[in-house]
Structure formats: structure tokens, C-alpha cells
Amino acid sequence: MQEKLKAFERILGIMNELREKCLWDRKQTMESLRMLTIEEVYELSEAIIANDMRAIKEELGDLLLHIVFYSKIAEEKKAFDVAEMINTLCDKLIARHPHIYGDVKVQDEDQVKQNWEKLKLKEGKKSVLEGVPASLPALIKAQRIQEKARQVGFDWQHAGQVWDKVIEEMNELQCSVEKNDYEKNEEEFGDLLFALVNYARFIRVNPETALEKANSKFIQRFNYMENKAAEQNRHLHEMTLEEMDAWWNEAKKIE
């Protein structure tokens, strides 16, 4: 524990020094750091998907730097310091885990999540969905909305019901497409995606991770085709679909 505290003290000291002496660090504000922080979170996400522990360690460090940076700026504004931020977090964790720090009994993780949402409402939240950031990517937002609705019992009972809903939405989209109703197409396509995210939850698949892995797989196979074409001094746009399919299938076999 002492070694960990010493490491945290070290980063705080470095942050203080950078804020005082580095021209770039002195210039930064919460607003200027915002997009950089989002970028760091995505880099961490990529490292986790790749299961690259070395990269995860590095990206977690980058993210910690941003947390320390925001806290330092807040301290300069006399709003709060890093100790207040951490203690606020600790107080919240203790309050929201009465089954650990109190006498509440729970049977499973679902009850833990349900209690968490109930406690958030007691703390002043007006809606169960209030904690879903509006700026979240749509796919992740759909997943979080559904998870939160589930905590108050608004959910399907089993995966078969959700799959029936997927088929229903797929048929409605097909009808809309056949009618050339472009505005309706968007609505029905959105409903289908929302239903698929729901189904993913029931079969314990993270839709964001699944789609990102599909993206990576496509990029890997497409790059293979480009490399094969380059070996023959050709370009993909000069080739037939049948030729590209042959290399695509080669890439699949290599995997």
C-alpha cells in the first residue's frame, strides 16, 4: 500500500511542476482537455478489446493523468482538490453499497444494481434514465438505456421474446423499404438496431465490442486484399468482384 501511495504522490508532484513550468500544460483548461480525454478513453477501449495488457497499463496511466490534471485546474479555481474528489467518490461508493457497509441483504448482482438505481433516485435523480449521458454514441446509449430500464423491472422475460421482436422489426423495415418510404426506413432501421441491442444483452454479448471486432476483422481482410493486389502491381478498383472474393476467402482461411 505504501508503494502505491508513494506512486500517487509522485504523479501529483509532477502535475504541480508541469502546471508551473511547462508552457503547454500551463495553457490547458478543462475545455481544452475534454476532447483529448475522450480520445484517451477510446484508446483504452481499443487496448482492452485487443487484450494488450501493456497498452492497457499505458492508457490507464494516460487517463489518470487527465483526472489529476482536471483536479489540479479545479484546485486553482478553488472549486475542489484531488482529495475532495476522491473522498466524494468514496462517500458515494459507501452510500451505494449498503449490503457491504450497512445491514441490507442482497441475493445476487441484479439486486445490487436495483438498489443502486433506487439510491440514485433518493439522492435527487428525477429519472432512472437521467444517468445516461446524452453525448454517448448511440449504440452504447441504447445498451445503457435498456440496462437501466431493467433495474426497475421494465424488461422482457426471456431471450425468445426479444428475438420475436427483432423479427417483427425486421419485417416492418422490409415493408417500409418495399414502399420506398425513406423517412420510415430510418425509423424502422433504428427500431431494429434497438431490438438487436436488446437481444445482445439477453445472450450476454456487448454489442459495441461485437461490432468493433467485426470492424477490425473487415479491416484485416480488406488490407489483405490490398496487399495481394499491390504484389501484382494492381488496384482493387481494377479487379472483378470474383477476384476480390477469392482473396477475401484466402484471408478468412488464414484467420
Side-chain angles (χ1 to χ4, degrees):
M1 178 64 74
Q2 193 63 35
E3 184 178 348
K4 295 173 183 176
L5 292 174
K6 187 176 180 180
F8 192 66
E9 183 180 0
R10 184 183 179 201
I11 184 58
L12 293 179
I14 291 173
M15 184 74 259
N16 289 340
E17 192 168 20
L18 292 177
R19 190 66 174 168
E20 179 183 349
K21 299 179 180 180
C22 176
L23 294 176
W24 186 88
D25 288 283
R26 281 165 53 183
K27 187 179 179 181
Q28 300 313 304
T29 65
M30 289 190 178
E31 290 75 18
S32 69
L33 290 173
R34 175 177 169 271
M35 291 307 299
L36 296 176
T37 306
I38 293 172
E39 182 180 329
E40 293 296 350
V41 172
Y42 275 106
E43 289 178 358
L44 173 60
S45 175
E46 289 178 8
I48 292 172
I49 290 174
N51 196 28
D52 186 339
M53 297 306 294
R54 181 177 179 180
I56 291 172
K57 179 179 71 173
E58 181 176 346
E59 299 304 338
L60 282 172
D62 291 343
L63 194 55
L64 175 60
L65 170 62
H66 281 242
I67 293 170
V68 170
F69 212 148
Y70 287 118
S71 298
K72 178 61 179 177
I73 294 172
E75 182 179 358
E76 293 168 354
K77 292 177 177 292
K78 301 187 184 305
F80 60 86
D81 61 20
V82 69
E84 291 177 83
M85 179 269 291
I86 293 174
N87 283 323
T88 297
L89 170 62
C90 291
D91 291 342
K92 181 168 64 175
L93 289 174
I94 291 171
R96 292 187 183 177
H97 289 80
H99 57 291
I100 302 296
Y101 302 102
D103 54 6
V104 173
K105 305 295 182 183
V106 294
Q107 296 180 342
D108 52 37
E109 63 175 300
D110 283 340
Q111 282 193 345
V112 173
K113 291 179 180 178
Q114 289 168 11
N115 287 342
W116 182 281
E117 296 300 337
K118 290 176 182 177
L119 288 167
K120 286 172 70 175
L121 290 174
K122 288 183 179 179
E123 292 168 1
K125 299 288 186 182
K126 296 180 180 180
S127 169
V128 171
L129 303 181
E130 190 175 326
V132 181
S135 58
L136 274 181
L139 194 64
I140 300 176
K141 187 189 293 187
Q143 183 181 5
R144 295 296 293 133
I145 288 170
Q146 293 169 9
E147 288 172 348
K148 286 185 173 295
R150 180 174 185 267
Q151 300 313 315
V152 296
F154 189 71
D155 200 10
W156 303 92
Q157 292 181 326
H158 55 78
Q161 294 173 314
V162 191
W163 183 247
D164 289 341
K165 185 63 176 177
V166 170
I167 298 301
E168 176 188 326
E169 297 296 351
M170 193 178 300
N171 290 334
E172 289 179 0
L173 173 60
Q174 184 61 39
C175 289
S176 177
V177 170
E178 290 172 356
K179 294 176 181 177
N180 293 320
D181 189 340
Y182 297 110
E183 289 188 9
K184 192 68 173 176
N185 287 350
E186 181 182 61
E187 178 184 344
E188 297 299 347
F189 191 82
D191 290 345
L192 175 58
L193 284 178
F194 195 84
L196 282 169
V197 170
N198 230 334
Y199 187 67
R201 183 167 54 86
F202 270 80
I203 61 174
R204 299 185 182 278
V205 168
N206 184 303
E208 176 71 18
T209 301
L211 183 57
E212 183 54 36
K213 287 183 176 180
N215 289 339
S216 297
K217 183 167 57 178
F218 184 93
I219 290 171
Q220 183 176 345
R221 293 174 183 175
F222 196 86
N223 287 342
Y224 180 86
M225 290 195 305
E226 289 179 316
N227 292 335
K228 294 295 287 186
E231 289 174 6
Q232 299 182 8
N233 295 318
R234 302 173 69 189
H235 297 285
L236 293 181
H237 66 264
E238 301 170 341
M239 300 171 56
T240 66
L241 182 58
E242 288 74 17
E243 288 176 307
M244 288 189 283
D245 274 341
W247 282 340
W248 182 272
N249 290 329
E250 276 187 26
K252 289 174 64 176
K253 289 179 181 178
I254 291 173
E255 292 172 4

